[in-house]
Amino acid sequence: LKMNKLNNYLVPNVLVRTSDGERSYDLESRLLSDRIIFLKGEVEDGMASICCEELLHLNNEDSTKPIHLYIMGPGGSIHAGLAIIDTMKIIDAPVYTYAIGYVASMDAAIFSAGDKRYLLPNSQVMVHQLGSGCEGKLHDLSVSVNYDKRLNNLLLGMIGRNCKKFTDKEFNLIRDTIDEMSDDNEDAVMVLPKALAKKLSEFKKSVDRDTWLMPKAAIRFGIADEILTQRETEVI
């Protein structure tokens, strides 16, 4: 058994029989050879860097075959999650995402970015607005809250685009206006065309609180494409 230092869990070893004899792999490395990556636990810098490295490695091995990214977790760092999403988008290999157990917050954003997005029959998805943990001096708080508002517009614009609530052109416009938001401007939608500002505002209201979606609801919401049915087993 090998201890995963990032998430504090044990990774079992498996024996694989080949024509050259038996080889021992830790299970994560064995799955990687089948182009499977598991993203589990809180999204943070260490886990994100390993996930990005695995995506780049598999793309370098074969940029035409899909990579299968299984996700289960409560969310976490937006910056770490955006690093994973950006890496998914810059590589040529398609990335299929699978929600197992539950994907919440930043994990849901990563899941939504898959080229194909699959739900297991009893998995759940949770989407909500950004949570801020700002602290410090009064002026620093103002700056931090303003920055969090920009991130919130960026992240929800991205999720909305993945859910087909916005076109690519509309999302690019949302992203391009983020830096036009000043400390005196409370919301970046103020600099958007009126119709798009309304659409963004309505989408933000739809996920103002924790929005839990069972599989069929997740598909109706647009954040997933398909529910994987359980294999039928033959009764002996």
Side-chain angles (χ1 to χ4, degrees), residues 152-169:
N152 190 53
N153 283 313
L154 174 64
L155 187 63
L156 292 184
M158 183 181 297
I159 294 173
R161 186 268 309 273
N162 295 339
C163 296
K164 308 301 183 186
K165 310 296 184 185
F166 312 118
T167 65
D168 288 343
K169 183 178 180 180

Side-chain angles (χ1 to χ4, degrees), residues 2 11-12 14 24-36 54:
K2 181 184 75 171
V11 180
V14 293
S24 176
Y25 294 86
D26 66 86
L27 188 55
E28 290 181 343
S29 298
R30 178 64 188 85
L31 290 171
L32 195 65
S33 68
D34 289 329
R35 303 181 71 80
I36 295 172
E54 291 174 333

